[in-house]
């Protein structure tokens, strides 16, 4: 073979190697660009997800509709009694809570009388966590119905009726809106088309959720939680067990030397003259 032919073959092989090297380099660049694009896409997706999550965390908890007359931050509290009363009783309750029912059946007449005498204003936080653990919707619908009663100016009477007719904790009777409407017939002036619509439309559902969110953020973990001027008094205050007589004694001691609030019940119906409403169900242990 001549030298010229050998040189030609070497040049051809060199060109083929150079061509393959160029193609491999191009393929590597393409792969890098593809991987880089995936990384960028993943980062972009993560940013979008992060924004969505952050937006969800940043959503305001202030309800779009709150019952008339509610007070406090975001109007989450239902007040009963004279706003200028010298003492405040704070009560956290769930409509399905059996211990709350037992508390109300024992203490509501005394609390009503303290309100009407201008000695206390009661701040009710109506929570709804039992639905989460037992299922159903009685806590939420019951809380909404209480909001509807507050909106109509009959919270106290309806609140007392609801707890006097409270079902067993495992029975979701308050999950029936019709049951809640039927119970309103026991409160003069409450069973109106406006009230029925409020219950059926779950008008204050957002408010109910906001009250529960507020409870979740608090240091309180059970119901009923009862505070007198910020101090826990249920099931006892210091070494003294709570009782209707002790509650009156504690309130009078806290109010000593202070002017009482305006007599009456702040737009609610007067306290009943009878001692206590009979429960349709035996108190839960």
């Amino acid at each position: 073979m001549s030298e010229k032919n050998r040189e030609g073959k070497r040049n051809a092989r060199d060109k083929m190697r150079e061509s393959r090297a160029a193609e491999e380099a191009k393929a590597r660049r393409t792969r890098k660009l593809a991987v880089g694009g995936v990384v960028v896409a993943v980062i972009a997706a993560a940013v979008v997800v992060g924004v969505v999550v952050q937006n969800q965390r940043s959503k305001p908890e202030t309800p779009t509709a709150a019952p008339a007359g509610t007070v406090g931050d975001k109007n989450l509290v239902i007040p009963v009694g004279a706003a200028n009363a010298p003492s405040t009783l704070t009560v956290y309750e769930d409509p399905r809570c059996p211990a709350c029912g037992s508390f109300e059946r024992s203490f509501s007449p005394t609390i009503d009388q303290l309100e009407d005498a201008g000695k206390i204003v009661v701040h009710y936080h109506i929570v709804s966590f039992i639905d989460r653990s037992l299922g159903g919707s009685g806590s939420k619908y019951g809380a909404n119905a209480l909001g509807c009663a507050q909106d109509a100016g009959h919270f106290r009477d309806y609140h007392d009726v609801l707890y006097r007719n409270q079902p067993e904790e495992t029975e979701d009777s308050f999950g029936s809106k019709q049951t809640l409407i039927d119970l309103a017939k026991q409160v003069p002036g409450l069973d109106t088309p406006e009230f029925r619509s409020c219950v059926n439309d779950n008008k204050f559902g957002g408010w109910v959720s906001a009250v529960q969110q507020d409870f979740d953020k608090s240091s309180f973990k059970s119901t009923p939680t009862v505070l007198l001027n910020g101090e826990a008094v249920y099931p006892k205050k210091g070494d003294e067990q709570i009782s209707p007589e002790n509650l009156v004694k504690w309130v009078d001691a806290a109010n000593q030397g202070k002017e009482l609030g305006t007599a009456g019940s702040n737009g609610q119906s007067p306290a009943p003259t009878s001692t206590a409403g009979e429960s349709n169900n035996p108190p839960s242990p």
Side-chain angles (χ1 to χ4, degrees):
M1 183 182 292
S2 68
E3 188 65 30
K4 185 175 182 180
N5 286 339
R6 283 196 295 271
E7 185 64 28
K9 288 183 178 181
R10 279 197 301 270
N11 289 340
R13 285 195 297 270
D14 291 341
K15 288 179 180 179
M16 289 176 64
R17 282 196 296 269
E18 290 172 0
S19 177
R20 283 197 300 270
E23 289 175 359
E24 290 172 359
K26 182 178 179 181
R28 284 195 297 271
R29 287 195 299 273
T30 300
R31 285 195 298 271
K32 287 180 180 179
L33 288 173
V35 172
V38 170
V39 171
V40 170
V42 169
I43 292 174
V47 170
V48 170
V49 171
V51 170
V52 170
V53 171
Q54 188 59 40
N55 285 344
Q56 289 175 342
R57 290 174 179 169
S58 301
K59 283 181 181 177
E61 295 173 0
T62 303
T64 55
T70 48
V71 298
D73 184 32
K74 302 173 185 173
N75 294 320
L76 303 182
V77 178
I78 293 178
V80 181
N84 60 345
S87 285
T88 300
L89 192 72
T90 303
V91 180
Y92 290 82
E93 293 179 325
D94 185 309
R96 290 180 70 179
C97 163
C100 299
S102 178
F103 171 79
E104 286 297 338
R105 288 188 289 272
S106 298
F107 287 90
S108 62
T110 301
I111 291 172
D112 289 349
Q113 290 160 10
L114 289 169
E115 290 166 353
D116 290 347
K119 293 183 177 183
I120 61 170
V121 58
V122 183
H123 284 176
Y124 286 97
H125 300 249
I126 308 300
V127 300
S128 51
F129 65 91
I130 290 179
D131 288 349
R132 295 191 305 211
S133 56
L134 295 182
S137 52
S139 292
K140 293 185 181 67
Y141 287 171
N144 175 71
L146 285 165
C148 295
Q150 166 65 20
D151 204 54
H154 292 284
F155 170 81
R156 188 172 84 176
D157 289 343
Y158 185 66
H159 167 268
D160 292 350
V161 165
L162 220 59
Y163 278 109
R164 286 200 301 269
N165 293 273
Q166 186 189 53
E168 294 295 327
E169 184 182 23
T170 53
E171 295 178 11
D172 193 32
S173 299
F174 289 168
S176 163
K177 295 175 180 177
Q178 188 58 52
T179 295
L180 296 167
I181 291 171
D182 289 342
L183 287 172
K185 301 181 191 304
Q186 299 183 32
V187 179
L190 179 56
D191 183 24
T192 63
E194 291 78 15
F195 176 80
R196 292 193 292 270
S197 175
C198 183
V199 172
N200 284 323
D201 296 343
N202 198 34
K203 179 178 179 180
F204 298 116
W207 175 80
V208 170
S209 296
V211 176
Q212 180 57 46
Q213 288 170 355
D214 185 67
F215 181 69
D216 288 339
K217 292 179 179 178
S218 75
S219 60
F220 308 124
K221 303 303 178 188
S222 62
T223 55
T225 290
V226 185
L227 313 171
L228 177 61
N229 297 325
E231 180 184 359
V233 294
Y234 180 90
K236 56 174 61 179
K237 178 180 181 289
D239 294 329
E240 289 187 282
Q241 193 76 25
I242 192 171
S243 67
E245 295 75 19
N246 278 343
L247 181 58
V248 171
K249 180 183 74 172
W250 298 336
V251 168
D252 286 343
N255 290 349
Q256 190 171 6
K258 299 177 183 178
E259 184 177 354
L260 298 184
T262 306
S265 55
N266 197 27
Q268 306 289 334
S269 301
T273 54
S274 59
T275 53
E278 293 296 325
S279 171
N280 289 356
N281 299 289
S284 299

